[in-house]
Amino acid sequence: MTRDVLAEMGYLALGSRMKRLAERMQADATKVFADRGLPIQGTHFPLLAALTTYGPLSVTEAVEAVGISQPAVTRIHNALQKLGITTTSRVKGDNRQKLIRLTAKGEALLEELKADLWPQVRRAAQGLCEGEETDFLSWIARLEGALQDLSLHDRIRSEGASRHPALRLVEFDDRLAPEFDAITREWVEAMFTLEKKDIEIIENPREKILAPGGEILFVEADGLGIIGTCALMQVEGNVFELTKMGVRETARGLKAGEFLLQRTLERARQMPIGELFLLTNSKCAAAIHLYEKAGFMHDADIMARYGASYARCNVAMSYDLSKPPRI
C-alpha cells in the first residue's frame, strides 16, 4: 500500500505539501519548455511575468512585485541574463540604481509565450482545479492574505504563548526581599551547600547589591506570582557580576529563565558596566547552555580572578556588552 506521510499529517505538513505540489508542477513545466526547445525554467516565470506586465523594475520593485526574496530575484535575473533574456540599465539621474529589463530577445520570447504556451498552461492548470470545492485561486489568495496579516512564524509563537502564562519584569521592592532570599535558597540548596557569601547577599540585598549601584530584577507570571530573580552586583569599579539567577522549580518550562536573562542583559547595557561576568558550576548544565546561547563565553581569566568567591565555582564566564544581544 502506498503511504503518504504528508497527507496523513494534515495541516501540520501544509507547507511541505504545498512545496511538493509546486515542485511537481514546476518539473512538468520544465519538461514542456524542453519539448519546445525553450531555454528557460519554471523558476524563471515570476520575474518574467513581472517584467512583461510592469516593464523595467529595480531589484526592490521586483521583490515587491513577485513576493520572493532579493537573493532569489537576483539569482533568476543572473540566469536569464546569461541566456540573453534580461539585462540591466542605469536609472537616469541616479547612477547607483539599476533597472532589470527584458532584452529584445526576451521581449520576443515573451510575446511568443503569451500568444501560444501561456494560454495552454492556463487552461491545463484551470482543469486541475475544477471540482465542487471553492475556487482554488480564491483559496490561495485568502491564504496569502492571512499570512500577510500574521505570518506562520508569529501564529506558531502565539500558539505557544497561549499555553503559558504571560511573563512580566518586576523591579526590586523591599517587600520582595523574602522572594529573593527564598528563590536563591531553593536552587542553591537543591544542588549545593549555601555558603557564607550567599547568606550575606540574600539577607542583605539592599546593602550588598543595590546601595553600591547594582540591580535586582524579578520575573512574574500570571497566576503564579514571582517565579524567578537575577541580580547585577558590583564587584569592583565598573566590574559587575550577574548573580543569584534562579527560577522556582514549580515554574520550570515557562522559559522564565530565558526571559529574565534577556531583560537583565538589557538592563546591564543601560548601566556603567565595563566588564560583566558570572560564576557557576558544571552541574548547572541547563543554565550554562542558556548562558552560552545568550553570548556568555567561558573565561579562564575570570576564573583566576574571581573563581575563589565560591567553593562550588568551577565555571566562569564573561559577556561582551559591546556586541549585539543574541536572545
Side-chain angles (χ1 to χ4, degrees):
M1 181 179 66
T2 302
R3 303 292 296 274
D4 186 344
V5 68
L6 297 187
E8 292 173 11
M9 298 301 285
Y11 283 107
L12 179 61
L14 178 61
S16 296
R17 197 170 179 185
M18 292 179 70
K19 183 175 184 291
R20 182 178 68 180
L21 177 63
E23 289 174 345
R24 183 172 180 179
M25 294 181 71
Q26 286 190 340
D28 282 341
T30 298
K31 292 178 183 178
V32 171
F33 295 143
D35 289 343
R36 295 177 175 238
L38 297 171
I40 58 176
Q41 304 292 321
T43 53
H44 299 162
F45 172 77
L47 183 56
L48 289 173
L51 293 174
T52 193
T53 302
Y54 304 122
L57 299 169
S58 67
V59 172
T60 301
E61 291 169 336
V63 167
E64 182 180 349
V66 175
I68 58 178
S69 68
Q70 182 270 328
V73 167
T74 301
R75 282 196 301 271
I76 295 171
H77 163 61
N78 289 341
L80 292 172
Q81 190 172 37
K82 288 180 181 180
L83 295 171
I85 294 172
T86 63
T87 187
T88 57
S89 60
R90 298 283 184 183
V91 175
K92 188 175 182 180
D94 186 355
N95 291 328
R96 297 170 300 174
Q97 183 84 312
K98 290 184 179 180
L99 294 180
I100 302 173
R101 62 190 320 125
L102 292 170
T103 62
K105 177 182 176 181
E107 291 177 350
L109 173 63
L110 265 295
E111 289 304 315
E112 178 186 342
L113 292 175
K114 288 189 287 184
D116 183 26
L117 183 57
W118 282 11
Q120 295 177 32
V121 174
R122 183 180 290 108
R123 289 192 296 270
Q126 187 174 357
L128 280 175
C129 299
E130 289 179 349
E132 298 179 359
E133 293 81 5
T134 303
D135 178 64
F136 188 70
L137 291 181
S138 296
W139 183 84
I140 290 291
R142 286 200 301 273
L143 181 59
E144 290 173 334
L147 287 173
Q148 184 68 30
D149 292 338
L150 189 65
S151 71
L152 185 62
H153 172 250
D154 288 338
R155 291 170 189 269
I156 293 170
R157 291 186 64 182
S158 295
E159 280 289 321
S162 67
R163 297 176 180 272
H164 299 307
L167 302 176
R168 289 181 298 280
L169 188 71
V170 177
E171 304 285 342
F172 180 85
D173 183 288
D174 285 329
R175 291 171 296 180
L176 294 177
E179 299 283 357
F180 181 66
D181 185 312
I183 293 172
T184 302
R185 288 179 186 273
E186 178 183 302
W187 75 261
V188 173
E189 293 179 337
M191 294 186 289
F192 311 103
T193 299
L194 207 64
E195 300 181 29
K196 180 181 178 180
K197 185 171 182 179
D198 293 313
I199 297 172
E200 290 177 350
I201 293 172
I202 63 179
E203 290 187 352
N204 304 281
R206 183 167 288 283
E207 175 189 349
K208 295 295 183 179
I209 298 177
L210 299 176
E215 294 275 4
I216 300 174
L217 302 173
F218 297 90
V219 56
E220 182 180 36
D222 286 344
L224 298 175
I226 298 296
I227 59 172
T229 187
C230 187
L232 293 166
M233 183 175 70
Q234 184 189 42
V235 178
E236 55 182 349
N238 64 356
V239 180
F240 279 70
E241 178 185 356
L242 187 146
T243 186
K244 301 297 176 278
M245 178 169 167
V247 175
R248 292 188 184 278
E249 180 67 32
T250 54
R252 302 288 166 81
L254 303 183
K255 292 189 176 295
E258 184 170 330
F259 173 90
L260 184 58
L261 180 58
Q262 179 181 358
R263 298 300 184 275
T264 303
L265 291 175
E266 288 174 358
R267 182 62 57 87
R269 292 176 187 280
Q270 301 168 11
M271 298 168 62
I273 297 178
E275 190 174 12
L276 180 65
F277 72 92
L278 64 83
L279 305 173
T280 186
N281 185 280
S282 54
K283 290 173 63 175
C284 305
I288 291 173
H289 175 70
L290 179 59
Y291 297 141
E292 291 172 337
K293 180 181 175 183
F296 277 89
M297 305 292 291
H298 293 265
D299 194 319
D301 179 62
I302 292 294
M303 187 67 195
R305 290 159 58 194
Y306 302 111
S309 300
Y310 297 94
R312 63 177 178 270
C313 175
N314 64 4
V315 174
M317 308 178 79
S318 59
Y319 186 86
D320 188 348
L321 288 167
S322 68
K323 292 183 177 180
R326 291 190 186 178
I327 61 172

